[in-house]
Amino acid sequence: MFPAEVDYVRADDVPAAREHLASADDAALLAGGHGLLPAMKAGEAAPDLLVDVSDVDALAGRAVDADGARVGAVTTHAELLDDDGLAEHVPVLPATAEHLADRQIRNRGTVGGNLAEAAPAADLPAAVLAAGGTVHVDGPDSERAVAAPDFFAGDGDTVLGAGDVVTAVEVPAHGAAAYRKRTHPASGWATVGVAVAADLGGEGDDATGEDVPTVEDPGVAVAGVTDRQQRLGAVEAALAGERATPATLSAAAERSSDSLDGPLRGDHHVSGEHRRDVLPTVVERALGAAFGVPEVAR
Ligand SMILES: Cc1cc2nc3c(=O)[nH]c(=O)nc-3n(C[C@H](O)[C@H](O)[C@H](O)COP(=O)(O)OP(=O)(O)OC[C@H]3O[C@@H](n4cnc5c(N)ncnc54)[C@H](O)[C@@H]3O)c2cc1C
């Protein structure tokens, strides 16, 4: 299907982008175009003006140090994979980007677009939730920082209002991370995606006398199973302060559904019940990968 005719303008900076957004009845920001353009072709979106922000300098770039990273909204998924600082200090971002779509989409799709689109099966929202990230928004009235759990409103919705521009995401540093995903057979999106971010504490003997680190400040978040990405509080509670042994990780994974909230998502390929049923397995694999426990990483 061909999209309806639409005007196009390239913004030079964020204030100009907001002015353009205010100039039309139904203007939309355009970043990588891999969410909006397919929606327009499918007739699901029909903006009258596209405001291209992909070249806005203030939305580009990354700042990384030992405390964490600030990632500009137009950073592409591919750029997350190609940054040694991110790999060292906020590994959940590259670990997740590696599983996101294919190379062609990773080269164009952006962090800001992925978060703003908030598709229930999108991978990056789970990563940002797991790591306790914050989304920065420049809006008509103010600039604000929104904690990730408050940013996503479910079913593809966010707290973004008319004229709001996501400028960056801030992600605190963590020592261990992984992303594991069961992909949808037709689309490659997550039927179940699980992000883990945590710190590792001092080592101590487990029952067998081996040195095993403790799990500190764990964040475990899921994509694809319900109408929104969410943290799995029961899994996190079972991990916090515990040694990362195979038995602890498996027992924590068994609690995956305990705090799962919201309606299950299913389709004729993969039912919601099946997604929920395989969730503990994907959680267990993600935990094993994050904490270097091959027995459960499989
Ligand atoms: C075939 C296919 C497979 C995909 N598979 C996956 C997958 O497995 N996992 C996954 O996570 N994603 C997947 N995606 C999504 C893709 O990775 C992009 O992240 C996503 O399309 C949005 O990013 P974008 O930069 O392309 O945004 P755009 O398409 O440009 O915009 C998407 C929406 O966000 C808004 N927007 C964009 N930038 C901003 C901003 N800075 N502030 C506020 N609003 C903004 C736009 O107005 C629009 O409503 C897939 C896409 C396709 C086409």
Side-chain angles (χ1 to χ4, degrees):
M1 186 170 162
F2 294 104
E5 285 211 1
V6 58
D7 288 328
Y8 169 92
V9 62
R10 193 176 274 274
D12 293 328
D13 54 29
V14 175
R18 290 204 283 97
E19 271 177 38
H20 290 308
L21 285 176
S23 72
D25 289 339
D26 190 13
L29 293 175
L30 180 71
H34 275 297
L36 186 54
L37 297 184
M40 290 169 65
K41 285 184 176 177
E44 294 160 3
D48 52 9
L49 174 66
L50 294 178
V51 181
D52 189 338
V53 289
S54 60
D55 276 344
V56 172
D57 287 343
L59 302 179
R62 299 171 293 286
V64 192
D65 61 25
D67 292 329
R70 184 182 171 99
V71 176
V74 298
T75 301
T76 64
H77 309 316
E79 286 170 324
L80 297 179
L81 283 171
D82 200 20
D83 185 317
D84 293 342
L86 294 181
E88 182 177 356
H89 297 296
V90 287
V92 76
L93 292 181
T96 303
E98 196 184 326
H99 293 268
L100 199 158
D102 58 30
R103 184 176 299 189
Q104 191 179 1
I105 289 161
R106 290 195 294 268
N107 282 340
R108 293 293 305 172
T110 66
V111 170
N114 196 273
L115 298 177
E117 191 176 44
D123 301 302
L124 282 181
V128 173
L129 277 166
T134 303
V135 183
H136 289 264
V137 180
D138 191 341
D141 302 322
S142 64
E143 289 183 36
R144 58 197 200 277
V146 186
D150 300 327
F151 182 79
F152 302 105
D155 221 6
D157 218 351
T158 68
V159 295
L160 291 175
D164 279 344
V165 179
V166 172
T167 53
V169 61
E170 242 171 8
V171 179
H174 43 271
Y179 192 77
R180 287 293 180 268
K181 176 174 175 179
R182 281 277 181 100
T183 53
H184 193 282
S187 70
W189 287 79
T191 55
V192 182
V194 175
V196 177
D199 284 322
L200 295 179
E203 302 201 344
D205 291 349
D206 70 356
T208 66
E210 284 194 37
D211 280 348
V212 179
T214 51
V215 179
E216 293 183 356
D217 202 13
V220 181
V222 60
V225 177
T226 68
D227 67 330
R228 72 192 68 192
Q229 293 80 355
Q230 59 187 282
R231 283 179 66 153
L232 299 176
V235 177
E236 295 173 357
L239 290 170
E242 300 293 333
R243 302 219 174 274
T245 63
T248 304
L249 302 190
S250 297
E254 283 306 315
R255 305 201 48 197
S256 294
S257 299
D258 289 5
S259 57
L260 197 61
D261 193 24
L264 295 173
R265 290 178 72 242
D267 57 30
H268 62 280
H269 286 286
V270 190
S271 71
E273 289 72 20
H274 180 74
R275 295 170 199 236
R276 182 197 57 208
D277 291 348
V278 299
L279 175 60
T281 304
V282 184
V283 169
E284 189 181 44
R285 290 176 180 174
L287 295 176
F291 303 124
V293 182
E295 294 91 326
V296 297
R298 293 196 301 271

